Amino acid sequence: MHVPDGFINAPVSAVAGVVAAGAVAVSLRGARRELAERTAPLAGLVAAFVFAVQMLNFPVAAGTSGHLLGGALAAILVGPYTGVLCIAVVLLMQGILFADGGLTALGVNITVMGVVTVVVAYALFRGLTGVLPRTRRSTTAAAFVAALVSVPAAAVAFTALYAIGGTTDVPLGKVLTAMVGVHVLIGIGEAAITALTVGAVLAVRPDLVHGAQGLAAPLKLRVDGALVDAPAAPAAPAAEPAPAARGRSTRGVWATGLVAALLLAGFVSYYASASPDGLEKVAADKGIDENVKEHGAADSPLADYGVKDISDARLSGGLAGVIGVGVTVAVGSGVFWAVHRRRRPEPVAGALGSD
């Protein structure tokens, strides 16, 4: 759903840019509470994984494909504020290096693909996990539903922006019907990918899933025939966090995730559907793309996810994907590490008010 330059007029694109910048600023502050020393590199990995999976267009209808948006996945794994930043990093790398998503439309894309998907998905996810049994299965199911709904929600958000600042005269009802219809189908693929990924991480390291915090139900004891909550275990001293809360080798998770992202982008992406994605198809069918502009980074050596001057399509696309994953994980990890380092230390009990 990467919106190119020319779909939305300059004033509305500028307003969307302000909204996106504000959301990123708020997320930078909020992410300080979500990120820890062990999770900051993992957030960079999530951004790289989203980048890689977005290269895997899957068929959803005749002549139409879809790809992961990633807002739901990022929010559930690393938190909503960090999730917005993950998608913003991905979109920035795609726009600058790969000419994917317009540069003047960057604010539109961050707002639609990042902010809307994260807010809708995480709010729905938290609502569902609040009423469902706190088990891994129900958490995965909640992730599925949240991801499914987030995609047509993004389609509605794009349609709203088009209604205000579209550069072509296409009946709004036709745009809305077409966008929501195809993106419901894409949402099914998004939901499957999100649920599979969240379920896989829950199976091996549930402590690294932000949305699964407090997943384990309290231990029950039978007293005089009735089940009661067992007494809570004493809290570990601040200087000695519980083993699950320490960085007990997040290296293994990080390495596995990075290898998976590299394989997806460098090899599996060659077999992705070549059909236009949902927005491209709707734009071509309805005439929304009449005023599309050439991308400002069209001359990039990595434009269109290929390496310039390499004629072999498999090698060119695979190398571009590997470069994209590497750059995204490096930039993302750097951003999230810097955000974490700016976190204010918690005041030590008894340190204030002493003589």
Side-chain angles (χ1 to χ4, degrees):
M1 195 189 289
H2 294 75
V3 181
D5 296 322
F7 278 23
I8 307 296
N9 65 28
V12 174
S13 294
V15 171
V18 172
V19 172
V24 168
V26 170
S27 297
L28 285 170
R29 294 179 62 87
R32 296 177 193 174
R33 300 189 297 271
E34 294 174 345
L35 293 171
E37 186 169 349
R38 68 196 183 109
T39 57
L42 293 176
L45 176 63
V46 169
F49 186 79
V50 169
F51 173 92
V53 180
Q54 283 194 2
M55 294 182 66
L56 309 180
N57 281 49
F58 48 86
V60 295
T64 308
S65 70
H67 62 73
L68 183 82
L69 299 187
L73 177 61
I76 294 167
L77 288 179
V78 293
Y81 295 108
T82 308
V84 169
L85 298 179
C86 283
I87 304 303
V89 168
V90 171
L91 292 171
L92 183 61
M93 295 300 100
Q94 290 172 332
I96 293 176
L97 297 179
F98 299 93
D100 190 8
L103 296 180
T104 61
L106 181 61
V108 172
N109 284 314
I110 291 176
T111 300
V112 171
M113 296 177 62
V115 179
V116 172
T117 57
V118 166
V119 171
V120 171
Y122 198 72
L124 182 55
F125 175 80
R126 297 305 299 178
L128 290 173
T129 54
V131 298
L132 294 173
R134 296 193 65 77
T135 64
R136 293 178 184 175
R137 182 174 298 178
S138 61
T139 301
T140 303
F144 182 95
V145 175
L148 172 61
V149 174
S150 71
V151 178
V156 171
F158 167 79
T159 305
L161 290 176
Y162 177 80
I164 301 170
T167 59
T168 54
D169 187 17
V170 179
L172 184 60
K174 292 184 177 181
V175 176
L176 179 62
T177 301
M179 284 293 292
V180 173
V182 71
H183 284 92
V184 167
L185 299 177
I186 294 173
I188 297 173
E190 176 105 11
I193 295 169
T194 301
L196 287 172
T197 305
V198 171
V201 180
L202 282 174
V204 294
R205 290 295 299 271
D207 59 300
L208 297 180
V209 179
H210 179 89
Q213 291 177 356
L215 177 63
L219 178 65
K220 298 287 186 179
L221 297 177
R222 187 174 295 278
V223 179
D224 295 330
L227 289 175
V228 298
D229 291 342
E240 290 291 338
R246 291 189 210 140
R248 81 166 155 101
S249 195
T250 57
R251 294 178 182 175
V253 175
W254 192 91
T256 301
L258 181 60
V259 170
L262 290 170
L263 286 174
L264 291 172
F267 177 71
V268 181
S269 63
Y270 179 76
Y271 301 98
S273 172
S275 299
D277 69 16
L279 176 58
E280 291 175 315
K281 180 65 172 176
V282 171
D285 289 348
K286 304 302 179 183
I288 297 175
D289 60 354
E290 290 180 1
N291 296 318
V292 67
K293 298 179 181 177
E294 184 180 15
H295 199 285
D299 294 330
S300 167
L302 297 173
D304 297 323
Y305 297 94
V307 178
K308 189 176 181 180
D309 297 331
I310 296 182
S311 58
D312 184 278
R314 186 191 297 270
L315 178 60
S316 178
L319 184 56
V322 168
I323 293 172
V325 168
V327 172
T328 304
V329 75
V331 172
S333 297
V335 168
F336 296 125
W337 181 254
V339 171
H340 163 64
R341 295 292 293 175
R342 289 178 61 85
R343 180 177 180 176
R344 294 179 180 177
E346 298 291 337
V348 179
L352 300 179
S354 58
D355 293 334

